[in-house]
Amino acid sequence: MVQVRANQPVNTDGSINLDAWLDHVCSLDPVLDRAALKDACDFARDAEQPENPAQNLWVEGASSFRTGLEIAEILADLKLDQDSLVAAVVYRGVREGKIPLAVVQQRFGAVVAKLVEGVLRMAAISASLIPRQSLVLGTQAQVENLRKMLVAMVDDVRVALIKLAERTCAIRAVKNADDEKRHRVAREVFDIYAPLAHRLGIGHIKWELEDLSFRYLEPEQYKQIATLLHERRLDREQYIATVMQQLRDELTATGVKADISGRAKHIYSIWRKMQRKGLEFSQIYDVRAVRVLVPEVRDCYTALGIVHTLWRHIPKEFDDYIANPKENGYRSLHTAVIGPDGKVLEVQIRTHAMHEEAELGVCAHWRYKGTDVKASSNHYEEKISWLRQVLEWHEELGDIGGLADQLRVDIEPDRVYIFTPDGHAIDLPKGATPLDFAYRVHTEIGHNCRGAKINGRIVPLNYSLQTGEQVEIITGKHGAPSRDWLNPNLGYITTSRARAKIVHWFKLQARDQNVAAGKAMLERELVRLALPPVDFERLAEKCNLRTAEDMHAALGAGDLRLAQVVNAAQQLVEPERGNEQLELIPRKATGYKPGKRGDIQIQGVGNLMTQMAGCCQPLPGDAIVGYITQGRGVSIHRQDCGSVLQLAAREPERIIQVNWGPVPVQTYPVDIVIRAFDRSGLLRDVSQVLLNERINVLAVNTRSNKDDNTASMLLTIEIPGLDALGRLLARIAQLPNIIEARRNRAS
C-alpha cells in the first residue's frame, strides 16, 4: 500500500524539504526530469502564498501544494511520465482557483493543461453523487451511470490515474474530519473510484480505497476484522514474500518452471467474502494467498505435491477444478495449508493458459469478482479494455502518452451521460437533444418545453448533448408540442421514446385540428420543394389511405411521415422524368468490387480512365496516388512506388490525388432561392449550413435591396435527393432574419 504523506520530508520549521522530496521521487522513477519537476513545485508553492506562514504547516485539506506533492508521489510509484507528475503538482492549485489554467498551458505546455482540464471535468461527478444508507455489493442504476459517464470522459488514461491518486489523498486526509465529511468522501470513493481502480487493474490503489472507505462507512465491522487479523497489512505482505521465496526455491530445485505471485487479502475483501458466503472469520483461508503458474497440466500436480510436502494440508480444503471444471469453464487447483508460523495460507495452481482464460475469458476474473455489475454498453467494456491495455504496455515499454496515441482505436461512445439540475445522471443515445432529455425526465416536461440551458447557457432545442453537461429545461405553464419537432430535417428529437410521446399527444387532439395542421404542413413542403400541384385524393390512395382528409389527419397526428408523402407526390406528378427528377432517398454508395467502374475516385475530376501500374501493382487498401499519362488516362501507383516518386520529382503537376472508395452518390444540380432581411454575416451563416450538410455549391448570386433592407440569394447546388434538399432548406430557414428558403421553380 502506498503511504505518501508520512514520507514527505520536512524542514525544522515544518515546511517541505523540496530537495529531499525530489530525491525520493526521482529514485522511484529515474527517467524523470528533476529540474522540470522542481520548477513545477516552486510554481505551485509560490501560487499558494499563505497570508500566515503557519498555514504552510500541514493542515488537513489546507495546502494545495502538499496535496499536489502527495498525488505526484503516488503517480511516480506507478511510473507515470513527466507531464503527469507536473499536472498532479499544479492540479489542486488550479481547482482551488489559485492558478489559472491558461497560465499552466503557457508555462508547462498544452499536454499538461489538457491533463489538468480532464481531471477538472471528472471532479464534477463529486457533486452529483447520491449517498446510500448502507454498504451494498450490487450497484444501482444511478451509480452505474456515473461510472459510465466517468469512463466516457476519459480520453487519456493518465487523467483517470491522476484522479485516482487525488481521491486517494482525499480519503487519507479525512481521518480527522467530521463524520459527515468522512462519510461523504468515503461514499464517493467506494461507489466510483475504487471500482475504477479495480477495472484498471491497479490493485494496491483499489485495496487502499476500499479499506479506508469501509473504515468510515462501517467502522464497527472494520474494527472487528482488523482486531481478528492481529497484524498490520505490511506484516502480512512481508509474510507472503517470504513464503513465495521458499516455494520458488523448492520448485526450482525440482525442475519446475513457475511464475509465483501473492497477495494479502485486505479488510474489506475479507468482510465481503464473509457476508457473501455466510462464513466466520476462522473459515476464511485465503487471508494470505499465493498463485503458482506453470507451463503444463502435469506441472500443476507436481507443484501441488511440493506444496503439501512443505506445509500441512487442511482437511476438506482442496478443490481440483482441473479434473472437474466449474460451470463457467474455470480450471485451477485450490488448496489451503498451515504455512510458516502456523498461519493459514491458500495456494492456487494453474497453467498459463488456464490463467489467461480465467482473467480474460468467459469467466473474466476482473469482471465477475468486481464491485460493479457488467455494464450494458459495449463501449464501456471496450473503453475499459483499451485503458487496461495502455497501462499493461506502459509497464513494459513506458511512454504512456505515446502508447495511447498508437493504441487508440475508433471507439465512439454509443451513449452520452447527462446531469439533471439536481445532480442525477441520465444516459441517452449519442446525438440526443435537450428535447430527448426532457421527454426522458418526464412526459409533461417534454410537452411544456420551451427552451434549454446547458451549464447555464441557453442553447437551441436541436443542440447535440455531450457527456458531462448539466441540462436545465425551460418550461411554459400551458405548453404543447410543436409539429416541427417531428420533422427529422430539423433534428429536434432523435429517440423513439420522445417521438412516441409527441405522436401520442397529437393523436389525442381533435381530428379537425390534425387535418388542418397536416394539410398546411404538406402544402408548405410542396411549395418549398417546388413540386407541381398534386391531386390529394390520388396522393392519399398512393399512401394507402382512403381520403385526403385521412391523409392530412395522419400527417397532423404524426402517424405518417412527411417525407413519405412527398416521395409519393413526386412519383405522381412527374413519373416520366425518371432520373432527371430528384430522388427522395439518396442512392446508397456501393462498396469496392474489383473490376467495376468507380474502383478509383479521382479527387476533383470524377470518372476518368484508370489503369493499375504494373511496377507496383497496388491493391485495395494501399495508399495510392495517380499520374496523368498521355492518352492512357490515369496510372495508379502505390505512394511508396519508386517510379512514381521519380515522376513526381520531374513532373509534379501531373500527380493527382486518388483514393479507393465507393461509387460516388448520384447528385443533381438544383437552384434554391433565399430571401432574408439583410444583416452582416448572412452569407457566412448560409455558407456554414452548406458546409455542415456537405453540399457542393456550383454558383452563387446575391443582391441587396436598400429600399426594404432585404437580400436575395440564388444558389446552384448539387444535391443527392429531395430528402437532403428538404433538410437543407429547413436548416437555412432556422437562421436569423431568413424570410423564406425554397427551391426555384425554374429548376
Side-chain angles (χ1 to χ4, degrees), residues 65-306:
F65 171 59
R66 290 200 179 217
T67 304
L69 297 186
E70 189 174 354
I71 297 171
E73 193 166 347
I74 295 175
L75 299 177
D77 189 59
L78 294 173
K79 302 294 187 293
L80 255 67
D81 61 5
Q82 182 77 28
D83 289 334
S84 301
L85 269 66
V86 172
V89 169
V90 302
Y91 164 68
R92 289 296 302 190
V94 176
R95 181 176 176 181
E96 294 172 14
K98 300 172 183 175
I99 303 173
L101 187 60
V103 176
V104 172
Q105 179 167 350
Q106 181 180 7
R107 180 156 179 168
F108 301 109
V111 174
V112 172
K114 186 177 180 181
L115 292 174
V116 173
E117 186 179 16
V119 184
L120 288 172
R121 286 200 308 268
M122 292 179 69
I125 294 178
S126 300
S128 307
L129 289 173
I130 302 176
R132 289 177 285 163
Q133 299 302 316
S134 60
L135 194 63
V136 294
L137 298 177
T139 56
Q140 298 176 353
Q142 170 69 6
V143 175
E144 184 68 15
N145 278 342
L146 288 168
R147 289 194 205 144
K148 291 179 184 178
M149 179 172 64
L150 184 149
V151 171
M153 293 170 67
V154 176
D155 292 325
D156 190 326
V157 69
R158 293 174 292 181
V159 172
L161 297 179
I162 295 171
K163 185 60 182 177
L164 285 173
E166 189 267 339
R167 288 293 85 190
T168 302
C169 297
I171 195 72
R172 292 173 181 171
V174 297
K175 180 178 180 181
N176 299 320
D178 57 81
D179 289 342
E180 188 277 332
K181 183 174 182 179
R182 278 205 304 260
H183 192 277
R184 175 171 51 82
V185 174
R187 181 81 275 157
E188 173 196 12
V189 166
F190 182 84
D191 283 341
I192 303 298
Y193 295 102
L196 178 60
H198 171 72
R199 300 298 293 273
L200 293 178
I202 313 171
H204 66 282
I205 296 290
K206 172 226 178 189
W207 295 333
E208 181 173 4
L209 294 180
E210 284 186 343
D211 273 4
L212 290 179
S213 301
F214 182 51
R215 176 180 181 177
Y216 300 134
L217 294 172
E218 299 289 343
E220 295 302 323
Q221 299 192 53
Y222 177 90
K223 291 177 183 178
Q224 178 185 1
I225 296 175
T227 302
L228 292 171
L229 282 173
H230 296 302
E231 58 184 344
R232 298 181 306 156
R233 179 178 177 81
L234 291 176
D235 295 331
R236 285 182 283 139
E237 290 178 343
Q238 182 58 48
Y239 178 86
I240 291 294
T242 302
V243 167
M244 288 169 56
Q245 188 58 50
Q246 184 179 356
L247 183 55
R248 187 178 293 110
D249 293 342
E250 290 293 329
L251 290 171
T252 302
T254 313
V256 177
K257 296 181 180 179
D259 293 333
I260 303 177
S261 59
R263 61 107 180 98
K265 204 174 187 71
H266 59 299
I267 292 176
Y268 168 70
S269 185
I270 294 171
W271 175 84
R272 187 178 61 180
K273 188 168 186 177
M274 291 169 60
Q275 297 296 310
R276 188 173 66 245
K277 296 190 175 182
L279 301 175
E280 297 294 331
F281 179 81
S282 59
Q283 297 174 288
I284 304 295
Y285 296 114
D286 63 343
V287 171
R288 305 164 194 85
V290 171
R291 178 176 293 156
V292 181
L293 303 182
V294 294
E296 304 292 339
V297 172
R298 62 174 179 270
D299 297 327
C300 294
Y301 293 97
T302 302
L304 178 66
I306 293 173

Side-chain angles (χ1 to χ4, degrees), residues 420-626:
T420 64
D422 59 358
H424 286 265
I426 291 179
D427 67 311
L428 291 166
K430 183 183 178 183
T433 66
L435 268 178
D436 293 315
F437 173 86
Y439 278 102
R440 174 66 183 274
V441 174
H442 196 279
T443 302
E444 289 304 315
I445 293 179
H447 289 342
N448 295 319
C449 177
R450 288 299 169 265
K453 290 183 179 180
I454 303 295
N455 298 331
R457 175 175 56 90
I458 293 179
V459 298
L461 289 180
N462 56 4
Y463 171 86
S464 183
L465 298 175
Q466 304 296 319
T467 290
E469 292 178 332
Q470 186 177 64
V471 183
E472 178 184 352
I473 299 298
I474 303 171
T475 58
K477 290 184 178 180
H478 305 289
S482 167
R483 284 185 170 84
D484 286 341
W485 294 356
L486 293 173
N487 187 342
N489 295 332
L490 301 178
Y492 283 115
I493 57 173
T494 63
T495 63
S496 56
R497 174 191 176 97
R499 176 172 292 279
K501 295 293 184 182
I502 297 170
V503 168
H504 179 70
W505 189 91
F506 282 116
K507 281 185 178 180
L508 297 179
Q509 307 310 303
R511 176 179 170 86
D512 56 347
Q513 294 180 8
N514 286 333
V515 169
K519 184 177 182 180
M521 288 169 56
L522 179 57
E523 290 176 344
R524 183 172 65 245
E525 191 69 8
L526 293 176
V527 169
R528 185 164 64 177
L529 296 178
L531 289 176
V534 60
D535 185 340
F536 284 160
E537 293 296 337
R538 289 180 59 202
L539 182 58
E541 183 180 349
K542 195 167 186 63
C543 294
N544 297 319
L545 293 169
R546 290 183 299 174
T547 65
E549 186 176 282
D550 290 342
M551 178 183 67
H552 292 147
L555 273 173
D559 290 336
L560 191 60
R561 298 290 182 95
L562 184 59
Q564 179 183 347
V565 181
V566 171
N567 184 32
Q570 173 198 350
Q571 297 173 11
L572 273 179
V573 297
E574 293 180 332
E576 70 283 354
R577 291 185 62 181
N579 286 340
E580 296 179 6
Q581 170 61 27
L582 289 178
E583 298 175 357
L584 176 66
I585 302 175
R587 297 175 183 173
K588 294 183 178 179
T590 57
Y592 172 80
K593 295 181 180 178
K596 299 292 184 181
R597 292 189 65 196
D599 291 350
I600 303 295
Q601 290 187 31
I602 310 296
Q603 185 70 25
V605 178
N607 244 350
L608 292 180
M609 182 175 66
T610 61
Q611 59 180 342
M612 300 300 169
C615 52
C616 56
Q617 296 181 331
L619 295 174
D622 292 337
I624 54 176
V625 67

